[in-house]
Amino acid sequence: MNNGRLYDGFLPGRYPFDAYGNGGFRFADMSHRGSLLALPSGIRAWPINSVAELTDEALDPIFAESNELELLLFGTGTDIVAFPAAFRARFRDAGISLDVMQTGAAARTYNILLAENRKVGAALIAVP
């Protein structure tokens, strides 16, 4: 039962990004407004609009799949911003490499590494 919603914000499987901008992303013949997590299990809506909004809870879905991830690309929006040291330590402790960059670069890099069948994920903050 979907409680009247058309979707639950999750698409199982791994898909490249076709486009980004205008506050969202295009992938798998669909579009989504807002930020996304692209993890080995699938792509899910992510209620984060800036690095300043990050919490341990917001990062939990990433660490739940740490056995399937070697690298997480973190797209910070239109500008590269400092990633909090405490969160960097959490990635290091989980054995996940972290690469922080603009969202566009993260989406493009994700597509390349996904095509190479790498153990990659992406946390992408939507850009206007």
Side-chain angles (χ1 to χ4, degrees):
M1 184 169 167
N2 67 10
N3 297 326
R5 296 186 321 187
L6 294 176
Y7 60 91
D8 65 2
F10 178 74
L11 176 65
R14 299 179 70 180
Y15 302 92
F17 293 101
D18 300 318
Y20 62 90
N22 296 321
F25 301 87
R26 294 179 81 51
F27 57 95
D29 295 326
M30 300 186 307
S31 64
H32 169 81
R33 291 193 57 77
S35 300
L36 290 173
L37 287 177
L39 299 172
S41 64
I43 298 177
R44 71 182 71 236
W46 195 41
I48 298 295
N49 298 305
S50 72
V51 171
E53 293 179 11
L54 283 180
T55 63
D56 281 320
E57 182 179 87
L59 296 174
D60 283 346
I62 298 165
F63 295 105
E65 298 190 37
S66 63
N67 290 339
E68 298 298 319
L69 285 173
E70 293 176 355
L71 170 65
L72 184 89
L73 303 167
F74 197 103
T76 57
T78 54
D79 297 314
I80 298 173
V81 298
F83 198 81
F87 295 132
R88 282 189 180 275
R90 190 171 176 198
F91 280 91
R92 186 176 48 253
D93 293 346
I96 301 171
S97 296
L98 176 67
D99 202 346
V100 179
M101 60 191 76
Q102 293 173 315
T103 292
R108 292 186 302 271
T109 304
Y110 175 82
N111 286 351
I112 292 167
L113 297 176
L114 182 66
E116 294 175 354
N117 203 30
R118 300 272 303 275
K119 289 184 168 187
V120 65
L124 304 172
I125 294 175
V127 297

